[in-house]
Amino acid sequence: MREMTKGANVSLTALGEDAGAVVVSLGWTSASGAGDADVSVLLLDAHGKVRSDDDFYFYNHPAAEDGSVQLLGKTPTDSGDEDRIGLDLTAVPADIARIVVAASQYGDARFGDLDDLRMTVSDRSGEPLVGFSIDDASVESAFVFGELYRRGEEWKFRAVGQGYETGLAGLATDFGISIDEGGEDGEDGADSPATPDPAAEPARGTQAPAAGPVPAAGPVPAGVPVAAGVPVAAGPGTTTPGAAPAPSGAAAAPGGPAQGAPSRAAASVAGIPAQSRGRDGSAAGGARTTRKKVTLPRVARKSLAENDSWQPARLFPVPTLKSDREREVRATSVLLAVMTQVPELGRRLTAAFGAPAGRTQTFTEVSLPHGDAPRRPDGVIRIERAGKLWTALVETKTNGNPLRAEQVQAYMDIATRRGYEAVITLSNDVALDGAPVVDVKIDGRRKHKVDLWHLSWAEVAHQAQLLIRHEGVGNPAHAWLLQELLEYLQHENSGCHGFQNMGPSWVPVRKGIEDETLNPGDERAVDVVESWERLIRQVCLRLGGELGQKALPVQRARRGSDPRERRLAAAETLCADGRLSAELRVDGTSGIIAVTADLRTGKVRTSMEVPAPEGSSALVSVKRLVRMLAEAPADLHVESLVEGGIGARGTLERLRPEPGNLLPRDGAPPAGFRLTLIKGMGNTRGNTESGFIRSVDDAVARFHQGVVGRLGPLDVRAGRRG
């Protein structure tokens, strides 16, 4: 990879043979774990201006219908977060001369508060081509990291590093985007639930689905990039959260923005904090210019069954499955079929694997020659675009069955010989740091490279839930298919339940902690820490799917640090204190949820810190907090925080009649409060009702629903460890 300095440029073609499609990664770290930014892309003509507002891609307009631009979303790395953008340079319109890649922050946040600002450009296979670091950020609230531009028949990259103190609005205006700071007239449309019957009429307030295929795009697995949804068929109207904006429809003058067209960058980009805007980026009360999309209600309609013994008919029945082989065959076929018929899901699950947008077909149990006997991968995904084929082999496991390295290696060898692009493993395991869950050997002498990706069943369920509960799909039939897929995955007999076993080291490590016989440096403690990270990643997936917001683990290590070093340090803490700790950040809140599993006491603690309101007396602050938590669990522990320590404490049940008991006895004003729920920890290593995995998942869900969800979005600050 070539390192660039500010202002330098280089030809992408000279750096890699497969530079026709690239993945741009923007990364940063935050000492507090709460810092973040939003990425954006602008397509500019020869005059340095957008042709229309449709050439501006950001959180409210995440993808181009021609597949040239796709915001793939955030993914956790070993040292922070990374936002990734897919650019298909072969699909960029001929009158586009430059592609500008930028990022912006909201509110009073500044890029000087972030560390390790970096942009990386990789080819389709994920091989880094060029990197550029920004080390002079200070008061800027928006930054142009770099740009890709045409020179004759090739594309070149230039490291820019230009900052703006005026935020995304100032940056966008410079390139000809129409910004409506005050928003448009009108009211937000309420979400209109769709009937799960595909033959039924569209739900009231929705548009009839358009005929023909529906393009879509979006994000993916644990440890691999996650993409955002693409606008799909329907007429104009009000939107559900997460829908992408409709095209402006007004022709743009060359070199300038469309005149009279609804602005995609309306009030949502005018410095509004993320927690104050909807998933579509619009400000509360502002009109939305996005297309209507179909979601399903959280609560099912009243059943017509006479009693609970009547089971509803399902498109994908599972009770008859008896063997793991049957489960693998059924699960693969169900998923691949739905991916083909519901392009919104199919594009989400393939975009970051390097797959192009195009006509998709999927196959199962395909026989491929390999040595003396043919091999039969569980599935094959094939996508056609502009006469070229992209092919991936799929290897599936269900229940707790592990992927076998020799089997995956055989598929990698087959894919290499046949010129396929990828091998995708699919199991209940959760990938970490973007790394595959099995080790295979790559023959460096072969010119053709094959990518190995991993997808968790928990990630599939997460994406399906996001689409049908929050972001919406193109028509009621698609929503119904996704609902049936989700019902299948969640059935106890499907074997597709996500990470569900803490591994063979769990029992001896827990016993060693109880007996105080676990020694520092025990490799089994490192195994438990790694399983803990997988569990936290899955907790984030489930919480994010339920809320319709991104939930990610917080990593406080510096970018480029060794993940094993981090796990060794956590293992030392586990041996010494018997504790496993993690932190989660959820979009829509500024605070961080701290999770601690104490193996000595058998308790799971979930907590968050809340600042005392400014300009109020200590007693008024306490009373205001208690009122905010009127519906919170009575066993919530509340501690007042003072300089240099902890003040008074008590449960919410005791504080409700006497809020003044939370005031520090020395009269010092509290700087804030720590809210904590304590729950008994499961004993077994699995995902049963009494299992450790279930207890941690339930503890985080209860804390967010009962406590965090009752706090105003601006009332929370980054929590501290411990």
Side-chain angles (χ1 to χ4, degrees):
M1 178 174 65
R2 177 175 298 187
E3 288 295 327
M4 304 290 289
T5 57
K6 188 172 181 178
N9 62 79
V10 66
S11 168
L12 295 180
T13 307
L15 296 178
E17 299 176 356
D18 193 14
V22 297
V23 175
V24 176
S25 302
L26 301 187
W28 42 76
T29 61
S30 169
S32 67
D36 199 8
D38 294 316
V39 302
S40 53
V41 175
L42 299 101
L43 304 186
L44 309 180
D45 60 17
H47 303 284
K49 301 291 185 180
V50 296
R51 300 168 303 175
S52 73
D53 289 357
D54 291 339
D55 287 337
F56 181 33
Y57 299 92
F58 63 119
Y59 46 76
N60 192 26
H61 180 211
E65 293 188 8
D66 60 10
S68 59
V69 180
Q70 297 176 50
L71 302 193
L72 302 176
K74 299 182 191 297
T75 184
T77 65
D78 56 3
S79 55
D81 290 339
E82 191 173 73
D83 243 310
R84 308 184 78 182
I85 305 161
L87 299 176
D88 187 347
L89 302 179
T90 63
V92 175
D95 55 345
I96 294 299
R98 293 162 56 198
I99 302 173
V100 172
V101 179
S104 58
Q105 293 198 279
Y106 35 79
D108 297 328
R110 295 293 180 263
F111 275 92
D113 301 329
L114 301 178
D115 301 317
D116 305 320
L117 295 173
R118 183 169 175 79
M119 176 178 180
T120 304
V121 181
S122 306
D123 64 16
R124 186 194 298 273
S125 68
E127 185 71 24
L129 301 177
V130 62
F132 170 51
S133 296
I134 299 175
D135 54 13
D136 58 351
S138 56
V139 298
E140 300 87 354
S141 53
F143 244 104
V144 173
F145 278 63
E147 65 180 17
L148 286 77
Y149 62 98
R150 295 185 193 266
R151 274 297 178 268
E153 298 298 320
E154 66 176 1
W155 284 90
K156 303 185 73 172
F157 167 76
R158 177 183 290 117
V160 178
Q162 177 185 351
Y164 290 75
E165 295 184 32
T166 50
L168 182 58
L171 181 153
T173 302
D174 265 10
F175 294 110
I177 297 294
S178 305
I179 301 296
D180 181 3
E181 302 262 359
E184 300 172 22
D185 296 334
E187 299 179 356
D188 288 348
D191 293 349
S192 301
T195 172
D197 181 1
E201 296 179 358
R204 185 178 61 183
T206 66
Q207 299 290 326
V214 185
V220 222
V224 282
V226 179
V230 150
V232 285
T238 55
T239 63
T240 56
S248 62
Q259 300 298 319
S263 172
R264 292 189 186 279
S268 55
V269 301
I272 297 175
Q275 59 262 37
S276 300
R277 61 180 185 239
R279 284 189 62 85
D280 67 346
S282 62
R288 299 171 182 174
T289 59
T290 54
R291 296 177 179 177
K292 186 67 183 178
K293 306 196 77 174
V294 179
T295 59
L296 294 180
R298 290 176 180 272
V299 180
R301 294 181 178 181
K302 182 179 179 181
S303 175
L304 302 180
E306 289 185 1
N307 54 62
D308 293 341
S309 66
W310 287 27
Q311 296 298 315
R314 290 293 175 199
L315 183 63
F316 312 122
V318 290
T320 58
L321 301 178
K322 298 180 180 179
S323 69
D324 287 337
R325 181 58 185 161
E326 284 183 293
R327 292 185 181 91
E328 290 174 8
V329 172
R330 177 71 64 84
T332 305
S333 184
V334 167
L335 175 61
L336 295 186
V338 175
M339 285 173 59
T340 302
Q341 297 302 316
V342 184
E344 296 93 336
L345 179 69
R347 190 71 194 123
R348 278 177 176 264
L349 297 182
T350 59
F353 295 155
R359 187 172 70 93
T360 302
Q361 274 193 290
T362 55
F363 310 86
T364 59
E365 297 296 306
V366 175
S367 179
L368 299 173
H370 181 67
D372 297 332
R375 293 277 186 159
R376 291 180 178 271
D378 293 307
V380 176
I381 302 172
R382 178 158 275 192
I383 301 174
E384 181 188 36
R385 179 182 177 83
K388 296 182 179 180
L389 290 176
W390 182 93
T391 307
L393 304 181
V394 180
E395 171 61 13
T396 304
K397 295 294 180 185
T398 56
N399 279 336
N401 297 317
L403 292 158
R404 301 204 308 269
E406 67 276 6
Q407 195 171 28
V408 177
Q409 181 71 65
Y411 294 139
M412 290 289 289
D413 294 341
I414 292 173
T416 301
R417 288 198 308 270
R418 300 181 71 87
Y420 297 161
E421 282 70 25
V423 172
I424 301 170
T425 57
L426 178 59
S427 72
N428 283 322
D429 209 347
V430 176
L432 295 176
D433 308 321
V437 297
V438 292
D439 294 325
V440 297
K441 296 179 180 179
I442 305 296
D443 189 348
R445 297 170 299 177
R446 291 182 179 270
K447 183 176 181 180
H448 180 74
K449 293 184 297 184
V450 176
D451 300 318
L452 177 60
W453 303 96
H454 180 73
L455 181 61
S456 168
W457 285 113
E459 176 68 27
V460 175
H462 167 79
Q463 298 298 343
Q465 191 170 29
L466 279 180
L467 283 169
I468 63 174
R469 295 283 181 261
H470 306 286
E471 299 178 6
V473 290
N475 59 55
H478 289 173
W480 177 71
L481 280 173
L482 285 178
Q483 179 66 48
E484 290 299 299
L485 172 65
L486 202 56
E487 290 285 346
Y488 177 88
L489 297 178
Q490 293 174 343
H491 193 282
E492 60 182 9
N493 200 31
S494 71
C496 305
H497 304 132
F499 181 71
Q500 55 185 357
N501 195 313
M502 290 294 290
S505 298
W506 172 253
V507 172
V509 166
R510 179 163 184 168
K511 191 174 188 306
I513 291 173
E514 293 173 351
D515 300 340
E516 298 186 5
T517 58
L518 185 64
N519 297 315
D522 193 322
E523 194 64 27
R524 294 176 299 181
V526 180
D527 293 340
V528 169
V529 168
E530 188 169 313
S531 294
W532 168 253
E533 290 186 8
R534 297 182 193 277
L535 169 57
I536 293 300
R537 174 60 182 152
Q538 177 162 286
V539 168
C540 288
L541 286 173
R542 290 181 176 172
L543 185 62
E546 182 66 27
L547 300 174
Q549 299 284 358
K550 292 174 185 172
L552 294 171
V554 174
Q555 300 291 359
R556 297 183 182 270
R558 299 282 298 180
R559 183 172 300 278
S561 60
D562 186 356
R564 178 166 173 80
E565 292 297 324
R566 183 185 72 237
R567 291 173 189 134
L568 286 172
E572 292 298 309
T573 301
L574 176 60
C575 294
D577 303 332
R579 294 180 180 178
L580 293 165
S581 299
E583 293 177 316
L584 320 178
R585 183 177 67 243
V586 181
D587 275 7
T589 64
S590 314
I592 290 176
I593 301 174
V595 186
T596 301
D598 193 327
L599 276 63
R600 287 181 175 172
T601 62
K603 303 291 185 182
V604 176
R605 302 169 66 92
T606 46
S607 62
M608 177 178 279
E609 291 186 10
V610 180
E614 297 181 2
S616 301
S617 68
L619 182 58
V620 170
S621 298
V622 170
K623 288 182 176 179
R624 184 178 300 175
L625 175 67
V626 173
R627 284 198 302 270
M628 287 170 56
L629 299 172
E631 302 299 325
D635 59 341
L636 177 69
H637 289 246
V638 185
E639 306 169 72
S640 58
L641 305 176
V642 296
E643 285 297 328
I646 298 175
R649 65 180 71 182
T651 63
L652 194 56
E653 183 179 25
R654 296 183 178 182
L655 292 172
R656 278 170 175 156
E658 293 292 341
N661 290 342
L662 195 58
L663 295 175
R665 294 183 179 179
D666 59 2
F673 309 93
R674 180 180 292 122
L675 312 177
T676 306
L677 277 179
I678 303 174
K679 182 183 185 298
M681 191 173 72
N683 296 317
T684 63
R685 65 186 182 188
N687 194 32
T688 61
E689 290 292 342
S690 61
F692 174 73
I693 293 175
R694 181 71 63 86
S695 64
V696 173
D697 208 356
D698 291 347
V700 174
R702 179 175 182 245
F703 184 73
H704 192 280
Q705 180 180 6
V707 180
V708 180
R710 305 187 185 283
L711 298 174
L714 301 180
D715 296 321
V716 187
R717 70 176 176 186
R720 296 180 293 196
R721 286 189 182 275

